Amino acid sequence: MAIGIDPTVDYVFKLLLGSPEHPAITLHFLNAILGDEIQIVEVEILNPILGKEDDLDKLSILDVAARDSSGRLYDIEMQTTLPAGLSQRLAYYTASLYVGQISEGDDYTLLHPAISICVLDAILFRQSPEIHSDFRLRSRGGSLKLTDGLQIHLLELPKYAVPSDNRVITHPVDAWCHFFCRAETMSAQEIERRFQSPAFNEAAEVLEMIQRTPQQRSQYELRLKAQRDERARMQYAVEQARQEGKAEGKAEGKAEGRAEGRAEGEALGRIEILRELLGVDRTSTAGLSLKQLAALESDLQRQLRERGVS
């Protein structure tokens, strides 16, 4: 039977990755994102959610703040929509995490890397097929590293292609993408077979705990509704903007048409006067564009000047 709990709901996401009771899940996730470059062996959750009644008010802050045993700082967040200014906000949060480590007069060598990880259920970089984007301070060509003190990792879930077979998923990033995209429809046994990792078995237990605990299930439903409402609001805003743009375009087209009509009428009036002054036959001007009428008017004025009439 499917667990029926979506891990991309921010409340669930924080219980999975922000609970000191389940550090193995957080360690596995961080090591998957950071790869072979860093191997974290211990992590401390700095703003834990313990799942107790008196902790529920803390859910207004749904990012996970963590620190590993080497002093590196982490901000982990889930985004189910694409808010305006996301790139700038990620850069701002990471920079704030970095500079907030020291006070005036402290040695800059005391700074530890600040690493932001955003799991995004939307696409920010359509020009790139990469699911996992890793941003650092590098030279334009990438051969020179200024510092690894500022890092931003982005995981764009819609770019993940769910495999059609039931093979075991061994690649760590693919495993987490699959978990975020499909865990809601999987049973705990399917999760165990699919990933064959103690961390994902533990993650399945957290989802089951939320499902069978009335208070946590209620919090989950509230956050799920809030996220759906926000998604609907953003979709409505996009559609409204599209409709307004369409209407504005029609209005501008009509206004341009009226202005062009007035210009054609005025040009025809001047052409008739010039023809009368010149005493020339009146040829049909039907179907002539505004540009062609202007050329005809210019030619008639030239003829008038040649006759010595100003």
Side-chain angles (χ1 to χ4, degrees), residues 28-288:
H28 189 283
F29 176 76
L30 290 176
N31 282 320
I33 298 300
L34 300 176
D36 296 333
E37 181 180 346
I38 301 173
Q39 279 299 306
I40 304 170
V41 296
E42 185 179 346
V43 65
E44 175 190 4
I45 306 300
L46 301 178
N47 59 340
I49 289 294
L50 302 175
K52 298 177 182 177
E53 184 175 358
D54 57 359
D55 280 327
L56 295 180
D57 289 341
K58 297 179 183 178
L59 291 175
S60 59
I61 303 174
L62 287 162
D63 288 7
V64 176
R67 178 171 51 217
D68 68 21
S69 55
S70 297
R72 288 178 288 256
L73 295 171
Y74 302 90
D75 181 86
I76 312 168
E77 66 173 282
M78 179 75 221
Q79 285 287 342
T80 56
T81 58
L82 191 61
L86 176 62
S87 299
Q88 293 86 345
R89 185 168 64 77
L90 286 171
Y92 178 82
Y93 280 2
T94 311
S96 298
L97 199 63
Y98 190 60
V99 302
Q101 299 176 57
I102 62 174
S103 303
E104 185 177 354
D106 289 342
D107 194 325
Y108 293 118
T109 59
L110 297 175
L111 289 167
H112 295 284
I115 303 171
S116 289
I117 302 173
C118 177
V119 180
L120 180 62
D121 194 15
I123 296 179
L124 181 60
F125 298 107
R126 296 191 177 276
Q127 69 274 28
S128 170
E130 297 295 328
I131 299 171
H132 175 207
S133 299
D134 180 355
F135 300 95
R136 314 278 185 103
L137 290 178
R138 296 285 192 273
S139 61
R140 185 184 294 271
S143 60
L144 297 177
K145 176 181 73 175
L146 179 63
T147 176
D148 282 336
L150 295 169
Q151 300 179 33
I152 298 174
H153 295 262
L154 188 67
L155 207 62
E156 296 172 277
L157 296 180
K159 292 181 179 179
Y160 173 68
V162 177
S164 57
D165 56 23
N166 292 320
R167 63 180 173 82
V168 175
I169 301 175
T170 57
H171 189 278
V173 172
D174 285 353
W176 276 103
C177 287
H178 195 94
F179 180 82
F180 286 130
C181 293
R182 288 292 183 267
E184 181 182 10
T185 63
M186 300 171 74
S187 67
Q189 294 73 26
E190 288 172 330
I191 289 175
E192 183 177 359
R193 288 195 303 268
R194 193 70 160 173
F195 305 113
Q196 294 187 3
S197 165
F200 286 106
N201 297 344
E202 192 171 339
E205 292 174 3
V206 172
L207 299 186
E208 288 186 313
M209 176 187 65
I210 296 170
Q211 175 66 269
R212 65 174 179 260
T213 306
Q215 186 181 39
Q216 291 189 349
R217 177 74 192 198
S218 176
Q219 288 295 319
Y220 166 75
E221 296 288 354
L222 288 172
R223 292 304 304 167
L224 177 62
K225 180 181 183 301
Q227 287 185 196
R228 286 175 174 171
D229 289 348
E230 175 63 13
R231 188 186 293 272
R233 186 193 66 77
M234 291 187 69
Q235 290 173 342
Y236 176 77
V238 169
E239 179 61 21
Q240 284 293 102
R242 189 183 71 81
Q243 292 294 341
E244 289 174 4
K246 187 176 179 180
E248 186 176 340
K250 286 183 178 179
E252 288 178 354
K254 289 179 180 178
E256 289 175 0
R258 289 194 296 270
E260 185 172 339
R262 287 196 299 271
E264 287 178 356
E266 293 170 356
L268 286 171
R270 292 192 297 271
I271 288 170
E272 291 304 308
I273 293 172
L274 289 168
R275 282 173 168 173
E276 288 180 4
L277 291 173
L278 289 167
V280 297
D281 294 336
R282 298 181 178 181
T283 57
S284 174
T285 56
L288 295 182

